[in-house]
Amino acid sequence: MKKGGRPGRGAPVRLLRRAGRGASRTDPKERREQEQARRARALWLLTLAALFALAGRLAWMQGVEAERWRSMSQAQVFREVQTPAPRGEIVDRNGTVLATSRGVWAALLAYTQEPPSPASIRLLASILQLDPAAIEKAIQQQRSARGIPYQPIRLKLGLTAREWTLLREYQDQLPGVQVAIEPVRVYPGAPGDPLVGGTLAANVLGYVQPDPHQDPREAPRLVGFSGLEQSMNQYLQGRPGIDLVQVDAAGRPIQVFSSTAPVQGDTLVLTLDAHVQEVAQRALAQEVQKLNQAPPPSGCDGIRADCYPQRAAAVVLDVRTGAIVAMASYPTFDPNVWARVASRMADTESSPDAKQIEAWLHDKNGILTDHSRQTPRSPGSTFKPVTAMAALASGVVTPNTLVYDPGYLRYGSFFGKNWTYPAAGGWMNMVQALARSDNVYFWTLAERLRWQDLAEMAHQFGMGVPSGLRELQTKTGTVTTPATLAKFQPGQPWTQGQVLNAAIGQGVSQFTTLEMAQMAAIIANGGIRYRPYVVSEIRTPDGHLVRKTEPQVLGRVDAPASDFQVVREGMLAVNSYNPNFRGTSPVGLAYSTFGNFPQKSAARSGHGRLPARDGTAGPARRAAGGRDGAGHGRDDGDRQRHGPAAAAGRRQPGQLVDRWRFDGKRNFRRRQPVASRYPWPPRADAKSPSPTRLDRRGPARGAGGGGVAQKLLPGVESADGGRSRHQRPLDPGGSLDPARRAGGSGGSAPAAGGTDRTFGTGPAG
């Protein structure tokens, strides 16, 4: 503004600008306060977040990970060390101990911060008589274990007094080495019997090995690998004890802070009788050794396994309950060898026991296999009681039906010899046929039996079906049927000759010794099939009952008591002198062995062939010159059933057959071949015989002046258009098969009082 005048033109504008600029600015003090408040809020939020994070982490550590941190903290002062638990005992029905656990001194190596020095390892190896490399290997395994290796490793079990003293004396130079008592598995066996020894009931008891799935931080644990040791492991396995051990900074134990004792496993009370078991095993060993020392059979090819028996088995059952009293298998093993190897350290490859086990594992006779329940074999003539029961149940014969045995039988192309061949067996009923194990008699029954009847009866006797034994693994046998024949002998045609084979326990029929013992027990008790069992009771170590096995009925044989009585009489006659017997001998086959026994006994002898499922007779039978190894006649079925005539299984219509005549003195006179008057199979236009017809011998020859009604067989229609159960009529002229009869003859014996019609097997050439 000019002096004494008005302001200049630009002055008001500059004043306005200054005024506006001053009004828009904040006071510096206020700005500082705002910045401080903003920073305070951020710091507060960060502090709050950190507190929440710390609280959450603390909660996680004290909750979820509390056990882990507690263990890690205690590991600096305390360690939990498990003590092995002794396995439960196994005793027989009388309390005789068959398996137990015994405490022995053991050398253990506990974990330390620093591993033992080479000098300590050499000293330890010299005291324990071990390989230093084996000790170093065990130490490496311990230090590579998962987590903190609490559990000491076992260096040697069963210390001697000298070893125990030296370990105590040099304890300062052996850091981590401890001496403690640990249990080992022991099988007392029969120490007074050199043939049995520690093998008593070995195949029933089984053996133990270290648990392959065990946590390395746990105490060494044994588990069963066969027999009852395996199947009942959950009861035999005890609970380990736990010791809380205080250690120093180097990890060396100072003292035991607390201790929980291990709990022994439960006790198994078996149905076995140790004395009977010992007798059975000794008898098997003696018999096999005696047979192997005898001269070789005629025609033996020199291969010992083909000419001499290598395996044997025996089973004793209580017929009233199904309890197994004895179950023996030969050859067998000593389970103590397995227990010693299982309780040693890792250098077992070089021990004699380990080499023995390796030999057992590759033994061709299956020394580790229980042949009494796991090896089906051809039953031979021991199957004949089942055939007899099937024939009686189906009405083929009665107990008094007589059959003539000329020493052999020809059925189509089948030609079978009785074990008495060339001697004739003569006339016999069922009891005498069982006593003398007459093949011709049972072949004659099989000509009239349907395979369904024979198979069904075998199944009712527990043969070819699961045995029901729960405590031990078993195999199921095979009954001869069209299905089993096609399975084991593909391409082999099914004929009635297969039934003849099965009737005497040959063909593809194979059963375990346990199945055969069940069959005998069912005959003895009158038809009741019990479930077999070997564990009677399970008790805790202090005697409290855990489980008790009660007898259980699995089924009953559908047959009257009279049929069982007949078969029992036949089996009693096997061991007896029978003055009323017809034929060649008044004694049963086993009379020489059992005739002088103080108790009355029954038996059923038999000899199966080896093997039967491949369609061949087997080297043992070939070496025996066409007969089974112990004298029973073979059926020659494998060789004779081949070819067109064998497929038909019977004579063809109009075929010429040899005709024989019996002169009453057990001699046969051969006549010229003539055409058969009875073509077989019957022609469609042939007139069927009447359902009943008197014997041609007439009233004067029959018992009580009367004849006997003739039976018809399935497939033959009766005069009234009906069809009977059986297949062919019984020829009153003395021959069962009209084709074999060839025009008559064959002979007939006078009918004794009470017998039904008599018939013989008039042989053809």
Side-chain angles (χ1 to χ4, degrees):
M1 182 175 65
K2 293 181 180 181
K3 187 175 179 181
R6 291 185 300 179
R9 185 177 293 179
V13 177
R14 285 194 299 267
L15 291 174
L16 289 175
R17 288 179 179 175
R18 289 174 181 171
R21 191 179 296 121
S24 62
R25 291 179 180 178
T26 306
D27 186 67
K29 184 178 180 180
E30 184 178 354
R31 286 202 308 269
R32 283 195 302 270
E33 291 176 354
Q34 292 177 355
E35 186 67 24
Q36 290 176 356
R38 190 165 50 249
R39 291 178 179 180
R41 285 195 300 270
L43 182 60
W44 172 253
L45 291 176
L46 289 175
T47 303
L48 188 61
L51 290 175
F52 275 110
L54 290 174
R57 180 58 179 168
L58 182 61
W60 177 267
M61 293 176 64
Q62 292 183 345
V64 179
E65 294 185 338
E67 188 63 29
R68 172 172 173 263
W69 291 105
R70 184 181 299 110
S71 300
M72 292 181 65
S73 62
Q74 290 180 354
Q76 306 300 321
V77 181
F78 297 102
R79 289 182 180 172
E80 287 185 354
V81 179
Q82 290 192 0
T83 306
R87 290 178 67 82
E89 289 189 338
I90 303 178
V91 301
D92 80 335
R93 60 171 58 196
N94 301 315
T96 302
V97 177
L98 301 176
T100 186
S101 295
R102 186 180 65 210
V104 297
W105 287 105
L108 309 176
L109 181 61
Y111 177 84
T112 57
Q113 297 293 340
E114 294 294 333
S117 65
S120 299
I121 293 177
R122 288 194 298 269
L123 176 61
L124 184 60
S126 64
I127 294 175
L128 300 180
Q129 299 297 314
L130 297 176
D131 185 2
I135 297 179
E136 293 178 354
K137 180 181 177 181
I139 294 174
Q140 292 176 0
Q141 292 177 350
Q142 182 192 48
R143 294 189 169 272
S144 63
R146 294 183 292 108
I148 300 177
Y150 305 111
Q151 196 64 38
I153 59 173
R154 180 187 295 148
L155 296 177
K156 189 172 183 179
L157 201 61
L159 299 179
T160 63
R162 178 181 177 276
E163 292 170 344
W164 186 90
T165 302
L166 291 175
L167 289 178
R168 290 293 190 183
E169 181 179 352
Y170 292 98
Q171 186 172 10
D172 293 339
Q173 303 179 34
L174 301 173
V177 176
Q178 303 174 4
V179 178
I181 295 179
E182 289 197 358
V184 295
R185 199 62 166 161
V186 177
Y187 303 88
D193 191 334
L195 280 178
V196 179
T199 68
L200 185 65
N203 295 93
V204 177
L205 301 177
Y207 57 88
V208 293
Q209 284 188 309
D211 188 354
H213 307 294
Q214 181 180 356
D215 191 320
R217 293 173 294 181
E218 298 176 348
R221 182 171 60 240
L222 299 178
V223 294
F225 265 68
S226 73
L228 293 175
E229 293 278 18
Q230 179 184 32
S231 62
M232 310 301 290
N233 187 74
Q234 59 176 328
Y235 297 101
L236 294 171
Q237 190 76 65
R239 295 194 304 273
I242 299 178
D243 293 338
L244 189 60
V245 180
Q246 185 179 6
V247 297
D248 59 14
R252 292 173 295 192
I254 299 176
Q255 65 176 353
V256 178
F257 187 76
S258 64
S259 179
T260 302
V263 179
Q264 186 176 7
D266 295 333
T267 299
L268 302 185
V269 181
L270 305 187
T271 60
L272 297 182
D273 187 309
H275 176 67
V276 179
Q277 179 75 27
E278 180 183 354
V279 170
Q281 289 189 217
R282 183 172 63 249
L284 290 182
Q286 290 175 340
E287 189 66 20
V288 171
Q289 292 177 8
K290 181 176 70 174
L291 293 174
N292 278 268
Q293 293 170 358
S298 175
C300 178
D301 55 10
I303 302 176
R304 193 167 190 83
D306 292 345
C307 304
Y308 296 89
Q310 303 297 317
R311 305 173 183 175
V315 173
V316 181
L317 291 177
D318 187 336
V319 303
R320 301 161 298 182
T321 62
I324 298 176
V325 181
M327 181 179 285
S329 178
Y330 181 91
T332 186
F333 63 96
D334 187 351
N336 289 292
V337 176
W338 288 92
R340 288 195 295 266
V341 171
S343 300
R344 287 173 62 101
M345 54 176 297
D347 66 338
T348 55
E349 294 86 0
S350 59
S351 67
D353 289 340
K355 295 178 180 179
Q356 178 65 74
I357 290 177
E358 186 69 19
W360 287 344
L361 292 172
H362 295 88
D363 184 76
K364 62 181 180 180
N365 292 317
I367 196 171
L368 300 178
T369 301
D370 191 343
H371 297 299
S372 64
R373 56 184 171 88
Q374 294 177 318
T375 307
R377 305 301 274 171
S378 177
S381 294
T382 56
F383 185 78
K384 288 175 180 176
V386 178
T387 305
M389 291 292 299
L392 292 173
S394 60
V396 170
V397 293
T398 69
N400 295 318
T401 301
L402 297 178
V403 176
Y404 185 78
D405 169 23
Y408 61 92
L409 178 138
R410 186 182 297 277
Y411 183 80
S413 62
F414 173 92
F415 182 76
K417 301 175 185 178
N418 191 28
W419 63 273
T420 60
Y421 182 84
W427 293 94
M428 62 184 63
N429 58 18
M430 182 170 288
V431 172
Q432 186 173 357
L434 287 169
R436 300 293 298 168
S437 191
D438 191 86
N439 285 347
V440 173
Y441 181 93
F442 289 96
W443 281 329
T444 303
L445 302 187
E447 286 184 280
R448 320 228 163 257
L449 273 174
R450 301 186 312 155
W451 69 264
Q452 294 93 334
D453 296 333
L454 189 60
E456 174 60 26
M457 184 59 67
H459 290 157
Q460 291 187 35
F461 273 94
M463 310 171 77
V465 297
S467 66
L469 181 60
R470 292 171 174 170
E471 298 94 343
L472 297 170
Q473 295 180 353
T474 62
K475 287 189 177 180
T476 302
T478 302
V479 177
T480 299
T481 64
T484 56
L485 181 68
K487 177 181 179 181
F488 295 110
Q489 295 184 8
Q492 186 78 281
W494 177 264
T495 68
Q496 190 67 15
Q498 304 292 348
V499 185
L500 269 68
N501 242 5
I504 62 169
Q506 306 290 359
V508 298
S509 294
Q510 291 192 359
F511 309 106
T512 63
T513 307
L514 177 59
E515 288 177 293
M516 300 306 299
Q518 281 186 285
M519 179 267 289
I522 292 171
I523 293 175
N525 63 34
I528 304 175
R529 180 186 169 212
Y530 287 101
R531 180 188 298 278
Y533 63 99
V534 71
V535 178
S536 175
E537 294 179 353
I538 302 177
R539 293 185 175 273
T540 61
D542 55 0
H544 290 86
L545 183 64
V546 177
R547 196 186 81 182
K548 183 178 178 61
T549 305
E550 299 291 345
Q552 181 180 356
V553 177
L554 296 180
R556 297 177 183 269
V557 177
D558 185 15
S562 58
D563 290 356
F564 286 100
Q565 182 60 30
V566 171
V567 175
R568 282 196 294 266
E569 290 179 3
M571 296 177 69
L572 286 167
V574 173
N575 298 346
S576 307
Y577 173 78
N578 310 280
N580 297 325
F581 272 4
R582 303 169 180 262
T584 58
S585 176
V587 298
L589 285 183
Y591 176 75
S592 60
T593 302
F594 297 97
N596 295 326
F597 270 29
Q599 289 85 17
K600 196 173 183 179
S601 61
R604 173 62 268 155
S605 65
H607 305 85
R609 64 170 181 234
L610 306 171
R613 290 186 170 180
D614 58 355
T616 62
R621 296 189 59 216
R622 291 196 300 270
R627 300 180 64 181
D628 286 334
H632 273 60
R634 69 173 189 173
D635 52 47
D636 284 350
D638 289 328
R639 178 173 55 84
Q640 298 288 352
R641 282 196 304 271
H642 295 287
R650 53 176 68 96
R651 292 288 184 183
Q652 301 301 315
Q655 181 178 352
L656 295 181
V657 296
D658 289 339
R659 186 178 178 191
W660 297 77
R661 180 172 61 84
F662 179 63
D663 63 4
K665 298 180 180 179
R666 281 184 279 171
N667 297 318
F668 292 89
R669 300 173 185 267
R670 184 173 181 177
R671 297 182 178 179
Q672 295 298 323
V674 296
S676 172
R677 293 186 300 160
Y678 299 94
W680 191 261
R683 297 189 304 271
D685 58 347
K687 184 177 180 180
S688 300
S690 59
T692 59
R693 184 170 56 186
L694 293 179
D695 193 339
R696 289 181 182 177
R697 292 170 297 178
R701 306 239 350 233
V708 191
Q710 176 164 340
K711 301 170 183 175
L712 299 179
L713 308 169
V716 178
E717 295 183 358
S718 61
D720 59 0
R723 186 175 296 272
S724 84
R725 178 187 179 98
H726 308 291
Q727 293 182 354
R728 297 187 295 277
L730 300 176
D731 182 27
S735 173
L736 277 177
D737 192 338
R740 292 206 323 272
R741 185 172 178 275
S745 188
S748 61
T755 64
D756 67 355
R757 72 164 319 285
T758 60
F759 58 90
T761 56

